[in-house]
Amino acid sequence: MNQIVMIELLKIAQKHRAHLESRGKQLALMLPLAEERIASFTEQDVILWDAWINRFCQLQDHMGMKLFDAFISFVGHDPLRMSMIDKINFLEKLEIIEQAQLWEDVRETRNALVHEYPNAPVFFADPLNTAFVQVDILFNVLDAIAERIKFQAT
């Protein structure tokens, strides 16, 4: 995988990140969320949270489905011969992901956000509060990949 493709994939991820950071500043004022607060969301609240949730899920999906494979290929390995668990463990070994379990936790949170909301606010508050903290894990992984690409290109 060449550096140009990696940079383009990083640009897509950075676009998601910028939206998450921008909306996150507005939404942080509502945290921590509880069931009662979610049940009383205005239409504008729902629009803001939906946009943030969508970007969180898109970023996590983009990283897991495209960016990781491209990076693994970039560093000279074949991602097609690796299971997702192997990819995550490999990225941990390269110190791209701090701990493999953290990525699995983010994935579980993403799944909870997609499957629980908006039908069950009682089950949604915890995953949303968790996602708001876990977004930094995504950002840290992006930063580590960007730094490694820059380092290897020199």
Side-chain angles (χ1 to χ4, degrees):
M1 182 72 53
N2 68 35
Q3 187 177 9
I4 294 169
V5 173
M6 281 300 310
I7 289 170
E8 290 305 312
L9 290 171
L10 272 171
K11 283 180 183 177
I12 293 168
Q14 293 296 358
K15 182 177 179 181
H16 292 308
R17 178 185 189 156
H19 286 282
L20 284 164
E21 289 175 331
S22 173
R23 298 217 179 18
K25 290 175 186 173
Q26 295 171 292
L27 298 173
L29 302 173
M30 295 183 195
L31 294 174
L33 289 172
E35 175 187 354
E36 300 78 27
R37 175 72 175 116
I38 292 171
S40 69
F41 275 176
T42 66
E43 186 175 337
Q44 185 62 30
D45 292 339
V46 171
I47 290 168
L48 285 171
W49 280 108
D50 280 349
W52 193 90
I53 291 164
N54 186 46
R55 289 292 180 166
F56 179 88
C57 293
Q58 286 180 355
L59 178 57
Q60 197 277 334
D61 288 345
H62 174 73
M63 291 172 72
M65 288 190 250
K66 294 181 182 175
L67 189 61
F68 289 173
D69 282 2
F71 179 77
I72 291 168
S73 180
F74 182 77
V75 297
H77 293 268
D78 184 0
L80 299 176
R81 296 181 177 263
M82 302 169 86
S83 69
M84 189 59 173
I85 293 170
D86 291 337
K87 292 173 191 179
I88 300 304
N89 288 333
F90 180 70
L91 293 170
E92 180 183 29
K93 185 185 279 189
L94 294 177
E95 298 180 352
I96 297 297
I97 295 175
E98 186 179 329
Q99 295 176 5
Q101 183 59 48
L102 292 176
W103 187 262
E104 182 58 34
D105 294 346
V106 171
R107 182 73 184 162
E108 288 176 15
T109 300
R110 177 236 178 258
N111 289 341
L113 291 173
V114 169
H115 299 294
E116 298 297 342
Y117 179 75
N119 301 325
V122 66
F123 299 115
F124 190 64
D126 286 341
L128 191 48
N129 288 319
T130 300
F132 213 81
V133 173
Q134 288 177 336
V135 75
D136 286 335
I137 295 168
L138 299 177
F139 296 165
N140 291 340
V141 172
L142 280 177
D143 292 343
I145 290 174
E147 186 63 32
R148 186 66 60 93
I149 290 168
K150 193 181 341 175
F151 175 73
Q152 286 197 330
T154 58

mmCIF file with all atom_site columns, all heavy atoms in Angstrom, residues 122-136:
data_model
loop_
_atom_site.group_PDB
_atom_site.id
_atom_site.type_symbol
_atom_site.label_atom_id
_atom_site.label_alt_id
_atom_site.label_comp_id
_atom_site.label_asym_id
_atom_site.label_entity_id
_atom_site.label_seq_id
_atom_site.pdbx_PDB_ins_code
_atom_site.Cartn_x
_atom_site.Cartn_y
_atom_site.Cartn_z
_atom_site.occupancy
_atom_site.B_iso_or_equiv
_atom_site.pdbx_formal_charge
_atom_site.auth_seq_id
_atom_site.auth_comp_id
_atom_site.auth_asym_id
_atom_site.auth_atom_id
_atom_site.pdbx_PDB_model_num
ATOM 1   N N   . VAL A 1 122 ? -33.243 3.745  28.434 1.00 0.00 ? 122 VAL A N   1
ATOM 2   C CA  . VAL A 1 122 ? -32.684 3.123  29.634 1.00 0.00 ? 122 VAL A CA  1
ATOM 3   C C   . VAL A 1 122 ? -31.395 2.366  29.304 1.00 0.00 ? 122 VAL A C   1
ATOM 4   O O   . VAL A 1 122 ? -30.471 2.306  30.115 1.00 0.00 ? 122 VAL A O   1
ATOM 5   C CB  . VAL A 1 122 ? -33.713 2.188  30.325 1.00 0.00 ? 122 VAL A CB  1
ATOM 6   C CG1 . VAL A 1 122 ? -34.039 0.989  29.459 1.00 0.00 ? 122 VAL A CG1 1
ATOM 7   C CG2 . VAL A 1 122 ? -33.209 1.760  31.686 1.00 0.00 ? 122 VAL A CG2 1
ATOM 8   N N   . PHE A 1 123 ? -31.310 1.816  28.093 1.00 0.00 ? 123 PHE A N   1
ATOM 9   C CA  . PHE A 1 123 ? -30.114 1.074  27.695 1.00 0.00 ? 123 PHE A CA  1
ATOM 10  C C   . PHE A 1 123 ? -29.119 1.924  26.918 1.00 0.00 ? 123 PHE A C   1
ATOM 11  O O   . PHE A 1 123 ? -28.051 1.456  26.564 1.00 0.00 ? 123 PHE A O   1
ATOM 12  C CB  . PHE A 1 123 ? -30.503 -0.134 26.836 1.00 0.00 ? 123 PHE A CB  1
ATOM 13  C CG  . PHE A 1 123 ? -31.375 -1.112 27.547 1.00 0.00 ? 123 PHE A CG  1
ATOM 14  C CD1 . PHE A 1 123 ? -32.674 -1.332 27.127 1.00 0.00 ? 123 PHE A CD1 1
ATOM 15  C CD2 . PHE A 1 123 ? -30.910 -1.810 28.657 1.00 0.00 ? 123 PHE A CD2 1
ATOM 16  C CE1 . PHE A 1 123 ? -33.485 -2.232 27.788 1.00 0.00 ? 123 PHE A CE1 1
ATOM 17  C CE2 . PHE A 1 123 ? -31.715 -2.707 29.321 1.00 0.00 ? 123 PHE A CE2 1
ATOM 18  C CZ  . PHE A 1 123 ? -33.009 -2.921 28.887 1.00 0.00 ? 123 PHE A CZ  1
ATOM 19  N N   . PHE A 1 124 ? -29.479 3.150  26.646 1.00 0.00 ? 124 PHE A N   1
ATOM 20  C CA  . PHE A 1 124 ? -28.680 3.983  25.764 1.00 0.00 ? 124 PHE A CA  1
ATOM 21  C C   . PHE A 1 124 ? -27.757 4.947  26.488 1.00 0.00 ? 124 PHE A C   1
ATOM 22  O O   . PHE A 1 124 ? -26.710 5.319  25.956 1.00 0.00 ? 124 PHE A O   1
ATOM 23  C CB  . PHE A 1 124 ? -29.600 4.759  24.819 1.00 0.00 ? 124 PHE A CB  1
ATOM 24  C CG  . PHE A 1 124 ? -28.878 5.467  23.733 1.00 0.00 ? 124 PHE A CG  1
ATOM 25  C CD1 . PHE A 1 124 ? -28.174 4.766  22.783 1.00 0.00 ? 124 PHE A CD1 1
ATOM 26  C CD2 . PHE A 1 124 ? -28.883 6.844  23.680 1.00 0.00 ? 124 PHE A CD2 1
ATOM 27  C CE1 . PHE A 1 124 ? -27.485 5.416  21.778 1.00 0.00 ? 124 PHE A CE1 1
ATOM 28  C CE2 . PHE A 1 124 ? -28.199 7.509  22.682 1.00 0.00 ? 124 PHE A CE2 1
ATOM 29  C CZ  . PHE A 1 124 ? -27.511 6.791  21.728 1.00 0.00 ? 124 PHE A CZ  1
ATOM 30  N N   . ALA A 1 125 ? -28.109 5.368  27.680 1.00 0.00 ? 125 ALA A N   1
ATOM 31  C CA  . ALA A 1 125 ? -27.309 6.370  28.394 1.00 0.00 ? 125 ALA A CA  1
ATOM 32  C C   . ALA A 1 125 ? -25.877 5.897  28.628 1.00 0.00 ? 125 ALA A C   1
ATOM 33  O O   . ALA A 1 125 ? -24.925 6.635  28.350 1.00 0.00 ? 125 ALA A O   1
ATOM 34  C CB  . ALA A 1 125 ? -27.986 6.741  29.712 1.00 0.00 ? 125 ALA A CB  1
ATOM 35  N N   . ASP A 1 126 ? -25.708 4.692  29.130 1.00 0.00 ? 126 ASP A N   1
ATOM 36  C CA  . ASP A 1 126 ? -24.361 4.199  29.423 1.00 0.00 ? 126 ASP A CA  1
ATOM 37  C C   . ASP A 1 126 ? -23.486 4.104  28.174 1.00 0.00 ? 126 ASP A C   1
ATOM 38  O O   . ASP A 1 126 ? -22.352 4.598  28.185 1.00 0.00 ? 126 ASP A O   1
ATOM 39  C CB  . ASP A 1 126 ? -24.409 2.858  30.155 1.00 0.00 ? 126 ASP A CB  1
ATOM 40  C CG  . ASP A 1 126 ? -24.825 3.008  31.607 1.00 0.00 ? 126 ASP A CG  1
ATOM 41  O OD1 . ASP A 1 126 ? -24.726 4.134  32.157 1.00 0.00 ? 126 ASP A OD1 1
ATOM 42  O OD2 . ASP A 1 126 ? -25.255 2.003  32.204 1.00 0.00 ? 126 ASP A OD2 1
ATOM 43  N N   . PRO A 1 127 ? -23.976 3.487  27.080 1.00 0.00 ? 127 PRO A N   1
ATOM 44  C CA  . PRO A 1 127 ? -23.123 3.436  25.880 1.00 0.00 ? 127 PRO A CA  1
ATOM 45  C C   . PRO A 1 127 ? -22.770 4.821  25.338 1.00 0.00 ? 127 PRO A C   1
ATOM 46  O O   . PRO A 1 127 ? -21.654 5.033  24.859 1.00 0.00 ? 127 PRO A O   1
ATOM 47  C CB  . PRO A 1 127 ? -23.944 2.643  24.866 1.00 0.00 ? 127 PRO A CB  1
ATOM 48  C CG  . PRO A 1 127 ? -24.916 1.867  25.661 1.00 0.00 ? 127 PRO A CG  1
ATOM 49  C CD  . PRO A 1 127 ? -25.184 2.681  26.889 1.00 0.00 ? 127 PRO A CD  1
ATOM 50  N N   . LEU A 1 128 ? -23.690 5.754  25.421 1.00 0.00 ? 128 LEU A N   1
ATOM 51  C CA  . LEU A 1 128 ? -23.402 7.080  24.901 1.00 0.00 ? 128 LEU A CA  1
ATOM 52  C C   . LEU A 1 128 ? -22.373 7.806  25.769 1.00 0.00 ? 128 LEU A C   1
ATOM 53  O O   . LEU A 1 128 ? -21.429 8.418  25.251 1.00 0.00 ? 128 LEU A O   1
ATOM 54  C CB  . LEU A 1 128 ? -24.675 7.906  24.785 1.00 0.00 ? 128 LEU A CB  1
ATOM 55  C CG  . LEU A 1 128 ? -24.541 9.215  24.025 1.00 0.00 ? 128 LEU A CG  1
ATOM 56  C CD1 . LEU A 1 128 ? -23.826 9.036  22.703 1.00 0.00 ? 128 LEU A CD1 1
ATOM 57  C CD2 . LEU A 1 128 ? -25.912 9.808  23.796 1.00 0.00 ? 128 LEU A CD2 1
ATOM 58  N N   . ASN A 1 129 ? -22.511 7.718  27.069 1.00 0.00 ? 129 ASN A N   1
ATOM 59  C CA  . ASN A 1 129 ? -21.504 8.294  27.962 1.00 0.00 ? 129 ASN A CA  1
ATOM 60  C C   . ASN A 1 129 ? -20.143 7.636  27.735 1.00 0.00 ? 129 ASN A C   1
ATOM 61  O O   . ASN A 1 129 ? -19.107 8.310  27.718 1.00 0.00 ? 129 ASN A O   1
ATOM 62  C CB  . ASN A 1 129 ? -21.935 8.144  29.426 1.00 0.00 ? 129 ASN A CB  1
ATOM 63  C CG  . ASN A 1 129 ? -23.079 9.064  29.796 1.00 0.00 ? 129 ASN A CG  1
ATOM 64  O OD1 . ASN A 1 129 ? -23.127 10.219 29.401 1.00 0.00 ? 129 ASN A OD1 1
ATOM 65  N ND2 . ASN A 1 129 ? -24.032 8.538  30.554 1.00 0.00 ? 129 ASN A ND2 1
ATOM 66  N N   . THR A 1 130 ? -20.157 6.325  27.546 1.00 0.00 ? 130 THR A N   1
ATOM 67  C CA  . THR A 1 130 ? -18.917 5.584  27.297 1.00 0.00 ? 130 THR A CA  1
ATOM 68  C C   . THR A 1 130 ? -18.286 6.007  25.978 1.00 0.00 ? 130 THR A C   1
ATOM 69  O O   . THR A 1 130 ? -17.076 6.230  25.900 1.00 0.00 ? 130 THR A O   1
ATOM 70  C CB  . THR A 1 130 ? -19.197 4.068  27.303 1.00 0.00 ? 130 THR A CB  1
ATOM 71  O OG1 . THR A 1 130 ? -19.726 3.702  28.578 1.00 0.00 ? 130 THR A OG1 1
ATOM 72  C CG2 . THR A 1 130 ? -17.940 3.265  27.028 1.00 0.00 ? 130 THR A CG2 1
ATOM 73  N N   . ALA A 1 131 ? -19.091 6.113  24.926 1.00 0.00 ? 131 ALA A N   1
ATOM 74  C CA  . ALA A 1 131 ? -18.574 6.506  23.612 1.00 0.00 ? 131 ALA A CA  1
ATOM 75  C C   . ALA A 1 131 ? -17.918 7.878  23.676 1.00 0.00 ? 131 ALA A C   1
ATOM 76  O O   . ALA A 1 131 ? -16.897 8.119  23.019 1.00 0.00 ? 131 ALA A O   1
ATOM 77  C CB  . ALA A 1 131 ? -19.692 6.498  22.577 1.00 0.00 ? 131 ALA A CB  1
ATOM 78  N N   . PHE A 1 132 ? -18.494 8.755  24.455 1.00 0.00 ? 132 PHE A N   1
ATOM 79  C CA  . PHE A 1 132 ? -17.955 10.113 24.544 1.00 0.00 ? 132 PHE A CA  1
ATOM 80  C C   . PHE A 1 132 ? -16.545 10.100 25.139 1.00 0.00 ? 132 PHE A C   1
ATOM 81  O O   . PHE A 1 132 ? -15.713 10.936 24.792 1.00 0.00 ? 132 PHE A O   1
ATOM 82  C CB  . PHE A 1 132 ? -18.890 11.002 25.365 1.00 0.00 ? 132 PHE A CB  1
ATOM 83  C CG  . PHE A 1 132 ? -18.908 12.416 24.890 1.00 0.00 ? 132 PHE A CG  1
ATOM 84  C CD1 . PHE A 1 132 ? -19.675 12.787 23.802 1.00 0.00 ? 132 PHE A CD1 1
ATOM 85  C CD2 . PHE A 1 132 ? -18.151 13.372 25.525 1.00 0.00 ? 132 PHE A CD2 1
ATOM 86  C CE1 . PHE A 1 132 ? -19.679 14.097 23.347 1.00 0.00 ? 132 PHE A CE1 1
ATOM 87  C CE2 . PHE A 1 132 ? -18.150 14.689 25.088 1.00 0.00 ? 132 PHE A CE2 1
ATOM 88  C CZ  . PHE A 1 132 ? -18.917 15.052 23.993 1.00 0.00 ? 132 PHE A CZ  1
ATOM 89  N N   . VAL A 1 133 ? -16.267 9.134  25.997 1.00 0.00 ? 133 VAL A N   1
ATOM 90  C CA  . VAL A 1 133 ? -14.923 8.975  26.550 1.00 0.00 ? 133 VAL A CA  1
ATOM 91  C C   . VAL A 1 133 ? -14.034 8.195  25.579 1.00 0.00 ? 133 VAL A C   1
ATOM 92  O O   . VAL A 1 133 ? -12.874 8.543  25.346 1.00 0.00 ? 133 VAL A O   1
ATOM 93  C CB  . VAL A 1 133 ? -14.988 8.263  27.923 1.00 0.00 ? 133 VAL A CB  1
ATOM 94  C CG1 . VAL A 1 133 ? -13.602 7.927  28.432 1.00 0.00 ? 133 VAL A CG1 1
ATOM 95  C CG2 . VAL A 1 133 ? -15.753 9.115  28.924 1.00 0.00 ? 133 VAL A CG2 1
ATOM 96  N N   . GLN A 1 134 ? -14.610 7.152  24.981 1.00 0.00 ? 134 GLN A N   1
ATOM 97  C CA  . GLN A 1 134 ? -13.828 6.283  24.101 1.00 0.00 ? 134 GLN A CA  1
ATOM 98  C C   . GLN A 1 134 ? -13.408 6.946  22.791 1.00 0.00 ? 134 GLN A C   1
ATOM 99  O O   . GLN A 1 134 ? -12.489 6.458  22.129 1.00 0.00 ? 134 GLN A O   1
ATOM 100 C CB  . GLN A 1 134 ? -14.616 5.012  23.770 1.00 0.00 ? 134 GLN A CB  1
ATOM 101 C CG  . GLN A 1 134 ? -14.730 4.054  24.917 1.00 0.00 ? 134 GLN A CG  1
ATOM 102 C CD  . GLN A 1 134 ? -15.584 2.855  24.555 1.00 0.00 ? 134 GLN A CD  1
ATOM 103 O OE1 . GLN A 1 134 ? -16.427 2.916  23.668 1.00 0.00 ? 134 GLN A OE1 1
ATOM 104 N NE2 . GLN A 1 134 ? -15.366 1.755  25.251 1.00 0.00 ? 134 GLN A NE2 1
ATOM 105 N N   . VAL A 1 135 ? -14.040 8.019  22.417 1.00 0.00 ? 135 VAL A N   1
ATOM 106 C CA  . VAL A 1 135 ? -13.660 8.672  21.168 1.00 0.00 ? 135 VAL A CA  1
ATOM 107 C C   . VAL A 1 135 ? -12.183 9.043  21.188 1.00 0.00 ? 135 VAL A C   1
ATOM 108 O O   . VAL A 1 135 ? -11.517 9.032  20.148 1.00 0.00 ? 135 VAL A O   1
ATOM 109 C CB  . VAL A 1 135 ? -14.577 9.881  20.864 1.00 0.00 ? 135 VAL A CB  1
ATOM 110 C CG1 . VAL A 1 135 ? -14.256 11.065 21.742 1.00 0.00 ? 135 VAL A CG1 1
ATOM 111 C CG2 . VAL A 1 135 ? -14.526 10.252 19.394 1.00 0.00 ? 135 VAL A CG2 1
ATOM 112 N N   . ASP A 1 136 ? -11.636 9.308  22.364 1.00 0.00 ? 136 ASP A N   1
ATOM 113 C CA  . ASP A 1 136 ? -10.207 9.609  22.467 1.00 0.00 ? 136 ASP A CA  1
ATOM 114 C C   . ASP A 1 136 ? -9.339  8.409  22.073 1.00 0.00 ? 136 ASP A C   1
ATOM 115 O O   . ASP A 1 136 ? -8.216  8.592  21.594 1.00 0.00 ? 136 ASP A O   1
ATOM 116 C CB  . ASP A 1 136 ? -9.848  10.091 23.869 1.00 0.00 ? 136 ASP A CB  1
ATOM 117 C CG  . ASP A 1 136 ? -10.322 11.504 24.137 1.00 0.00 ? 136 ASP A CG  1
ATOM 118 O OD1 . ASP A 1 136 ? -10.485 12.279 23.167 1.00 0.00 ? 136 ASP A OD1 1
ATOM 119 O OD2 . ASP A 1 136 ? -10.551 11.841 25.318 1.00 0.00 ? 136 ASP A OD2 1
#
